[in-house]
Amino acid sequence: MSAHCQLTGSKPGFGNNISHSHRRTSRRFDPNVQRKRYWLPGEGRYVRLTLSARAIKTVDSIGIEAAVARIRARGGRV
């Protein structure tokens, strides 16, 4: 699964691990991405979305219909 949120667009960030001896090695900061299934009443079907934890809270507050509209406005497929 790609570490990419469909609603917020958050993607992995990159940085360095720094050891005790101060050597730097590359690392990746992944967003907390979950696969979640929602009932979409306007279309009479379920949709499975890949959302970050913050986006799940956003869907809870604005509703699934508005969230799907935002995803489609960004050019995403639902």
Side-chain angles (χ1 to χ4, degrees):
M1 166 171 54
S2 146
H4 178 80
C5 176
Q6 288 180 288
L7 182 60
T8 63
S10 63
K11 294 183 278 192
F14 295 89
N16 291 307
N17 278 326
I18 302 180
S19 70
H20 183 69
S21 64
H22 221 65
R23 285 179 57 95
R24 289 171 170 87
T25 54
S26 185
R27 67 158 293 176
R28 179 173 147 145
F29 296 91
D30 285 330
N32 184 6
V33 172
Q34 313 291 325
R35 298 250 312 152
K36 194 145 169 63
R37 192 175 87 142
Y38 290 99
W39 173 251
L40 199 55
E43 297 181 17
R45 68 185 180 105
Y46 284 100
V47 291
R48 192 174 297 275
L49 301 175
T50 305
L51 301 172
S52 64
R54 189 176 76 192
I56 291 171
K57 294 172 190 172
T58 302
V59 170
D60 289 344
S61 67
I62 68 171
I64 185 62
E65 296 281 351
V68 167
R70 282 190 195 180
I71 291 170
R72 287 182 173 147
R74 292 182 75 241
R77 230 177 112 245
V78 177

